[in-house]
């Protein structure tokens, strides 16, 4: 594996009690030699939805993808595609790359949900032992590979996040260090935040003050912050970036600690083992985790993140527009059952479509946060690729065909955006090869990555994804 040379932009303000606050990209503070470099850090985040999407399958109509392949615009997504789930992303039409026509290459092992989750980010075979809902992937995941090759040495792991309940049947499914080595995900935003800003070693009384909003992390680095802001060579643009960054720190603290409905729920978020993944909080927790992902990218804490929404067969009862729906897993089966027999759920595909739209709205929130951070050439979203994905094509059939991938951001101009393409029924390792190439990795010959996933799979990229 060869890597294109890249610079790091991880810089800190060291403050009281050992707190280290990561800084955003600041053009003024880069060395001249680095300013002239053609390559810059790229970032990747996978946001995983469960249970497939309400696309054409088993005689049901198409309700997810745009009506037509080819260019997509804000106008086309707003008008022609108003009845499709991706309509929720119309504001980002020129930054979207939607890819249909990929499939998981290997069968599951007596559990379609587990087998799909095993393959989603690994393109690897499913284990023989363990099997069923306990099956595991036989290879590393794409986020692990990116982190292993590109992450700062101080933080070699991907950011692995989760929102929603863990029911125990199938919990985490995404991030693998290697064969059968599943990485645990963090579903408590407070613990994620403290790791990113480095306050886990602070005195308990200081942590208590932060939690009570009597002290902000900003207060712990205020002297250093003021010195940085007063530097004569700091441009007005960089001063604005710093103000946005420190405002975001305060906003995250407010979101984590003050806007949940009750003190009991706040306490549940402070310790992962106490958070029960209450369905009523899943949208709130998802947005908080997305805010943290954007924050982590902005200060180069990590180059890659995953966010799993719901467990392996997500049974969340989503409340949307004031209406609490049946369990999502049952909606995806179209019956009041987690198995194959049960009473039909009225307009189940319509309810599935509503949930798809809700995931589209949450994904748009991530794009909004990534766009909030400016760089010298655009926004953090332009330097990134955010991917809305699934571990099934559709829930009724548990199909491994036509797995949906909705990408946003060109990763520095590498990806061809403003497009809806059909990859032509290829195994999805080619999708991941393309993403690995987009973030800056190459194969041993210095060309696009072509070897991700099981060695039996046909190598290569999806050329239509590349600008």
């Amino acid at each position: 594996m060869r890597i294109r040379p890249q610079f790091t932009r991880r810089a800190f303000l060291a403050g009281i009690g050992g707190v280290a606050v990561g800084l955003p990209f600041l053009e003024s503070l880069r060395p001249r030699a680095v300013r002239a470099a053609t390559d810059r850090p790229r970032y990747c985040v996978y946001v995983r939805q469960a249970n497939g999407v309400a696309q054409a399958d088993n005689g049901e109509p198409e309700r997810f993808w745009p009506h037509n392949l080819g260019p997509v615009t804000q106008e086309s997504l707003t008008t022609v595609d108003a009845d499709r789930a991706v309509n929720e992303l119309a504001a980002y039409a020129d930054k979207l790359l939607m890819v249909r026509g990929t499939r998981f290459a290997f069968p599951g092992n007596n559990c379609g949900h587990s087998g799909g989750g095993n393959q989603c980010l690994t393109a690897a075979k499913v284990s023989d032992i363990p099997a069923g809902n306990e099956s595991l992937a036989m290879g590393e995941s794409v986020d692990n590979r990116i982190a292993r090759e590109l992450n700062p040495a101080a933080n070699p792991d991907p950011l692995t996040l989760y929102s929603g309940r863990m029911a125990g049947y199938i919990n985490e499914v995404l991030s693998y260090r290697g064969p059968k080595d599943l990485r645990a995900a963090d579903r408590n935003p407070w613990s994620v935040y403290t790791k990113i800003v480095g306050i886990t070693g602070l005195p308990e009384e200081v942590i208590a003050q932060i939690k009570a909003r009597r002290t902000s992390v900003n207060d712990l680095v205020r002297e250093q912050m003021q010195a940085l802001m007063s530097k004569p060579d700091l441009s007005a643009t960089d001063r604005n970036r710093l103000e946005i960054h420190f405002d975001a720190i305060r906003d995250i603290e407010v979101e984590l600690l003050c806007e949940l409905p009750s003190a009991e729920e706040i306490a549940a978020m402070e310790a992962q083992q106490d958070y029960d993944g209450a369905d009523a909080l899943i949208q709130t927790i998802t947005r908080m985790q997305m805010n943290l992902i954007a924050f982590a990218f902005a200060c180069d804490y990590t180059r890659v993140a995953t966010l799993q929404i719901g467990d392996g067969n997500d049974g969340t009862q989503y409340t949307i527009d004031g209406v609490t729906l049946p369990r999502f897993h049952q909606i995806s089966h179209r019956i009041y059952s987690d198995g194959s027999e049960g009473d039909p759920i009225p307009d189940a595909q319509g309810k599935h479509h509503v949930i798809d739209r809700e995931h589209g709205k949450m994904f748009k929130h991530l794009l909004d946060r990534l766009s909030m951070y400016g760089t010298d050439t655009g926004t953090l979203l332009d330097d990134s690729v955010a991917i809305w994905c699934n571990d099934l094509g559709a829930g009724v059939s548990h199909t491994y065909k036509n797995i949906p991938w909705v990408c946003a951001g060109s990763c520095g101009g590498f990806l061809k955006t403003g497009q809806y393409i059909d990859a032509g029924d290829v195994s999805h390792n080619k999708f991941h090869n393309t993403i690995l190439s987009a973030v800056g990795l190459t194969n041993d010959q210095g060309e696009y990555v072509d070897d991700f996933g099981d060695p039996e799979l046909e190598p290569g990229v999806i050329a239509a994804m590349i600008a």
Side-chain angles (χ1 to χ4, degrees), residues 251-289:
D251 290 345
I252 288 171
E253 290 173 353
V254 170
E255 288 172 343
L256 285 173
L257 302 170
C258 299
E259 295 188 356
L260 294 178
S262 70
E264 179 181 352
E265 289 165 341
I266 294 171
M269 294 209 34
E270 291 177 3
Q272 180 175 339
Q273 65 269 23
D274 295 331
Y275 170 48
D276 64 2
D279 289 352
L281 291 176
I282 192 166
Q283 290 103 321
T284 298
I285 301 301
T286 296
R287 288 190 292 269
M288 289 180 184
Q289 299 284 48

Side-chain angles (χ1 to χ4, degrees), residues 48 113-122 125 127 130 132-144 157-158 160-162 166 168-186 306 308 310-312 391:
R48 169 268 188 195
H113 287 278
S114 185
N118 299 160
Q119 296 182 70
C120 183
L121 298 192
T122 67
K125 291 178 180 176
S127 64
N133 62 296
E134 297 180 348
S135 68
L136 297 167
M138 298 303 296
E140 79 169 327
S141 55
V142 65
D143 62 308
N144 193 78
D157 294 322
T160 309
L161 307 183
Y162 189 110
M166 292 184 179
Y169 184 72
I170 310 171
N171 291 330
E172 294 100 334
V173 299
L174 286 184
S175 185
Y176 281 83
R177 300 177 188 87
K180 298 186 183 182
D181 192 1
L182 178 63
R183 177 180 280 106
D186 196 332
T306 60
Q308 178 177 326
D311 64 12
D391 42 29

